[in-house]
Amino acid sequence: MADENKLGRKITTLREAHHLTTQDLADRCGFEVETVERLEAGEVPASLAPLIKLTRALGVRLGTLMDDDEAFGPAYIDADQMAAVEQTRSLQTAKDAGDLSYFSLAAGRPSRHMDPFVITVTPTGEASHKLDSHEGEEWLYGMEGEIEIEYGNEVYVLGPGESIYYDSIVPHQVRAHSGQNAKFLACVYTPF
């Protein structure tokens, strides 16, 4: 499918527009060059933390990498669109968090300062977990099932109707709880 590696093509296009080699971009992000090459090739999905490092290195907002177009005006998504949406490929590189699929609620809205998503988590059964961090803040609201948020040395369980708001610079991970699928709203703010 032509749209399968949309994110990788955007990273490549932005990197080339800045006249950067894959090594240059890797150095700016603190990645191995192989990581940039694999992201551009669509061989690995990217978690939010690496995407934020990429956006910083490329001088763009997170939404620039995630959006299909740059239409002006509000981003309105009706109930039928929510029900029929094709969710994006997982953005999570660490399989210990489970498979996370993201649906942007602001796709097409340019120059935004926050990114709202509906995220579905499918557990993988991993027992060990790697925490990640990035600049900004996150707000999560439980819709279905339960998720765990490991934040620093604490673990929080978020169920339907519950929310959590935290600074994402503190190492954290969001994952499925008790081997069940879950769905939640997330709003991610990343300063530019």
Side-chain angles (χ1 to χ4, degrees), residues 93-115:
T93 53
K95 284 298 184 188
D96 61 341
D99 292 325
L100 280 71
S101 59
Y102 294 69
F103 172 59
S104 176
L105 296 172
R109 176 70 181 145
S111 302
R112 61 184 181 265
H113 299 282
M114 61 181 174
D115 288 288

Side-chain angles (χ1 to χ4, degrees), residues 38-190:
R38 293 185 71 205
L39 285 167
E40 289 185 354
E43 294 173 3
V44 298
S47 69
L48 284 177
L51 282 181
I52 289 167
K53 289 178 184 177
L54 283 167
T55 60
R56 291 267 186 260
L58 295 168
V60 298
R61 297 186 187 285
L62 180 60
T64 302
L65 289 180
M66 304 297 292
D67 290 349
D68 290 336
D69 58 50
E70 298 252 332
F72 291 99
Y76 175 75
I77 299 170
D78 65 28
D80 291 337
Q81 289 170 306
M82 286 291 290
V85 67
E86 179 77 25
Q87 293 190 341
T88 64
R89 189 172 164 192
S90 172
L91 295 175
Q92 189 68 31
T93 53
K95 284 298 184 188
D96 61 341
D99 292 325
L100 280 71
S101 59
Y102 294 69
F103 172 59
S104 176
L105 296 172
R109 176 70 181 145
S111 302
R112 61 184 181 265
H113 299 282
M114 61 181 174
D115 288 288
F117 298 99
V118 172
I119 303 176
T120 305
V121 183
T122 305
T124 59
E126 293 290 328
S128 63
H129 305 288
K130 179 184 179 293
L131 306 185
D132 219 339
S133 65
H134 55 87
E135 289 184 47
E137 301 170 350
E138 296 180 29
W139 172 79
L140 310 178
Y141 178 83
M143 295 171 63
E144 298 173 10
E146 293 180 325
I147 58 171
E148 288 180 14
I149 301 91
E150 187 169 350
Y151 183 78
N153 294 324
E154 301 290 326
V155 175
Y156 300 87
V157 176
L158 185 71
E162 299 175 332
S163 73
I164 187 170
Y165 187 107
Y166 53 86
D167 290 317
S168 45
I169 195 70
V170 175
H172 63 282
Q173 184 188 65
V174 177
R175 58 182 176 256
H177 177 69
S178 298
Q180 62 179 320
N181 293 346
K183 184 184 285 189
F184 59 98
L185 291 173
C187 189
V188 178
Y189 166 73
T190 53

